[in-house]
């Protein structure tokens, strides 16, 4: 006795919709990627809450970045070690950097940095800002900028108060 009921679609419209939503939620859950079309995803607009919702995806991104970097380094080693090719490239000196397009709340970060000023070192604070790639170099640039501004201000101050120009002759004085 052979039965082929499984070949026929026995789901009505409501059952198909429930199956679609279940599959959509399961795919999001098992792939660690949040369902961006879910009505509950963006209800809480807090940046911290959004980060918690995206934490699984960010962990997957870090894993994929490590695999990608390892593959790029292996490919670079193969290219550099091609026989009869004169090169001056040291693969260990090449930096692989991945830039993600996740939204960052720079205003909140700037407010946090301003609130912690004087409590935490400037280098640590600058390291928290998303658009600063090298905090130590940025601290040196800020210091150099302050020195340059101070020198310019001293020069203006000394020019203003050491100005000896005035009437050369007594002819210019009206009596």
């Amino acid at each position: 006795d052979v039965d082929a009921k499984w070949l026929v679609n026995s789901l009505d419209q409501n059952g198909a919709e429930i199956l679609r939503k279940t599959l959509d939620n399961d795919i999001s859950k098992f792939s660690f990627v949040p369902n961006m079309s879910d009505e509950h995803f963006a209800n809480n607009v807090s940046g911290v809450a959004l980060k918690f919702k995206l934490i699984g995806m960010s962990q997957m991104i870090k894993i994929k970045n490590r695999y990608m970097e390892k593959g790029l380094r292996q490919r670079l080693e193969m290219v550099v070690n091609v026989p009869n090719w004169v090169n001056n490239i040291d693969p260990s000196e090449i930096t692989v950097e991945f830039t993600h397009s996740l939204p960052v709340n720079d205003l909140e970060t700037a407010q946090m940095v301003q609130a912690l000023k004087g409590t935490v070192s400037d280098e640590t604070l600058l390291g928290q800002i998303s658009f600063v790639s090298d905090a130590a170099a940025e601290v040196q640039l800020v210091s150099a900028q302050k020195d340059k501004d101070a020198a310019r201000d001293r020069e203006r101050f000394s020019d203003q108060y050491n100005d000896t120009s005035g009437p050369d002759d007594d002819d210019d004085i009206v009596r």
Side-chain angles (χ1 to χ4, degrees):
D1 217 14
V2 178
D3 190 10
K5 288 182 182 177
W6 58 273
L7 290 174
V8 179
N9 186 1
S10 62
L11 289 176
D12 60 345
Q13 183 70 22
N14 192 23
E17 184 65 23
I18 290 171
L19 180 63
R20 186 193 66 77
K21 285 184 179 179
T22 303
L23 284 173
D24 198 21
N25 289 335
D26 286 347
I27 288 171
S28 295
K29 181 168 68 174
F30 296 130
S31 66
F32 299 108
V33 177
N35 185 357
M36 304 288 185
S37 63
D38 184 18
E39 61 271 359
H40 300 295
F41 177 72
N43 280 349
N44 194 348
V45 293
S46 166
V48 175
L50 189 59
K51 282 183 182 180
F52 277 122
K53 289 182 179 185
L54 296 174
I55 198 165
M57 187 173 73
S58 67
Q59 293 299 321
M60 290 299 294
I61 289 171
K62 288 178 184 177
I63 291 169
K64 301 290 184 187
N65 282 350
R66 283 196 298 269
Y67 286 141
M68 185 70 177
E69 183 174 357
K70 182 178 178 184
L72 286 172
R73 294 222 177 268
Q74 288 174 349
R75 180 173 287 189
L76 187 59
E77 286 288 335
M78 289 189 294
V79 168
V80 169
N81 293 326
V82 170
N84 300 326
W85 186 49
V86 178
N87 65 57
N88 296 343
I89 300 172
D90 183 11
S92 64
E93 292 180 4
I94 295 177
T95 303
V96 177
E97 183 176 321
F98 297 98
T99 305
H100 307 290
S101 59
L102 293 175
V104 177
N105 189 351
D106 286 332
L107 176 63
E108 186 177 282
T109 305
Q111 289 171 344
M112 177 202 56
V113 165
Q114 187 64 32
L116 292 174
K117 191 137 182 112
T119 306
V120 181
S121 72
D122 289 344
E123 188 172 338
T124 302
L125 291 175
L126 286 172
Q128 302 304 309
I129 300 174
S130 64
F131 52 85
V132 174
S133 57
D134 186 4
E138 192 67 27
V139 168
Q140 291 177 349
L141 285 172
V142 168
S143 177
Q145 181 69 36
K146 284 181 181 179
D147 292 344
K148 182 179 171 185
D149 291 345
R152 187 186 67 230
D153 290 344
R154 278 192 305 271
E155 183 179 313
R156 286 182 184 167
F157 183 76
S158 66
D159 286 348
Q160 183 178 4
Y161 289 103
N162 292 335
D163 189 11
T164 57
S165 64
D168 294 336
D169 301 352
D170 290 333
D171 297 345
D172 294 337
I173 301 175
V174 179
R175 296 189 176 149

